[in-house]
Amino acid sequence: MLTVDFTRFPLAPGDRVLDLGCGAGRHAFECYRRGARVVALDRNAEEIREVAKWFAAMEEAGEAPAGATATAMEGDALNLPFPDESFDVVIISEVMEHIPDDKGVLAEMVRVLKPGGRIAVTVPRYGPEKVCWALSDAYHEVEGGHIRIYKADELLGKIRQAGLKPYGTHHAHALHSPYWWLKCAFGVGRDGEDAALPVRAYHKLLVWDIMKKPALTRVAEQLLNPVVGKSFVVYATKPHLPKADAA
């Protein structure tokens, strides 16, 4: 399930991509399939080991084109182990709401992004996220949990202040908002068979939708995304410096 829309955020074969805070690796895997040279970075060692296993399995299965590469590594988003202007593309999806120094993370992403490079930032959308916070303290009052809710203008302002130029926005995953509302209402910590019946039933619907991609739910989600999309997505570029400034 991708939050970044690669029709709005195109990759070229050979692009060097950083998936920052990659988690389980969903965007990194897609970039690898598209022929990029991918670095998936996260602070969670266990998730990085799993991402590395999947990269190896994809290579063995021939899922990535010739020239594509993939590396999974532990790292700190506030102190990236890369030289300036190392990447053509940076993706940070559902990460910034967890980090106290979000301006510091943006500064690091801008530092490692090449002039003319592209960045995709996704965060939970204000409205649906506000409902989750209202329904459950446990949803956000946990170690490593969400520490802020972004309004769209606030996030766009911080992206501009970091020196980036936004060129597009949209919302995603409308069908997932009710799932999280149900989880928050019935107990956000209850998973699997321990989850309440409405949560289990809706989860089955989401799994069916992800696997089958039926036209009806695809159209329904497109219509609902502007209203209750769970995620807010911003695409931006790093401007080229004028020649005099660059010199």
Side-chain angles (χ1 to χ4, degrees):
M1 183 188 72
L2 300 174
T3 307
V4 172
D5 181 351
F6 286 94
T7 65
R8 309 186 196 204
F9 190 68
L11 294 181
D15 275 351
R16 191 151 193 250
V17 177
L18 173 63
D19 185 1
L20 181 56
C22 64
R26 58 201 171 105
H27 289 107
F29 301 149
E30 181 64 20
C31 293
Y32 188 33
R33 289 187 188 99
R34 290 171 178 263
R37 295 174 293 155
V38 183
V39 176
L41 183 143
D42 201 283
R43 64 182 297 181
N44 186 312
E46 184 177 345
E47 287 197 310
I48 284 298
R49 285 192 291 270
E50 286 300 311
V51 170
K53 290 178 183 177
W54 278 106
F55 278 151
M58 291 172 67
E59 181 180 13
E60 185 175 348
E63 290 189 35
T69 62
T71 303
M73 62 184 295
E74 289 183 64
D76 181 357
L78 290 165
N79 186 23
L80 295 173
F82 310 112
D84 295 355
E85 302 179 4
S86 298
F87 294 93
D88 303 289
V89 172
V90 177
I91 296 171
I92 184 165
S93 183
E94 312 300 301
V95 173
M96 287 180 56
E97 68 275 9
H98 296 272
I99 301 177
D101 187 7
D102 57 349
K103 291 184 179 179
V105 172
L106 279 168
E108 272 293 87
M109 290 190 289
V110 171
R111 180 184 69 78
V112 302
L113 186 64
K114 296 177 182 178
R118 304 174 307 287
I119 187 168
V121 180
T122 91
V123 298
R125 185 184 186 175
Y126 183 84
E129 185 77 347
K130 196 76 172 176
V131 173
C132 289
W133 282 47
L135 288 171
S136 171
D137 290 338
Y139 174 78
H140 61 96
E141 291 182 355
V142 294
E143 184 178 354
H146 298 186
I147 63 170
R148 69 173 65 81
I149 308 176
Y150 287 101
K151 292 185 177 179
D153 288 346
E154 175 193 3
L155 180 60
L156 286 166
K158 288 185 176 184
I159 287 171
R160 291 188 180 101
Q161 289 169 12
L164 297 165
K165 184 177 180 180
Y167 69 84
T169 66
H170 64 89
H171 300 97
H173 308 319
L175 296 182
H176 287 250
S177 290
Y179 171 72
W180 283 102
W181 298 338
L182 287 168
K183 275 188 70 73
C184 288
F186 286 99
V188 72
R190 297 171 60 187
D191 294 313
E193 292 303 315
D194 186 47
L197 178 60
V199 177
R200 296 201 309 270
Y202 201 94
H203 183 263
K204 288 181 180 178
L205 170 66
L206 291 179
V207 172
W208 172 79
D209 176 59
I210 290 169
M211 298 301 294
K212 300 297 185 180
K213 297 181 175 64
L216 179 62
T217 56
R218 296 300 86 218
V219 171
E221 186 158 71
Q222 288 178 11
L223 293 173
L224 290 170
N225 274 338
V227 183
V228 292
K230 184 73 170 67
S231 295
F232 176 57
V233 187
V234 181
Y235 306 112
T237 58
K238 179 178 177 178
H240 289 275
L241 288 173
K243 290 185 179 181
D245 291 346

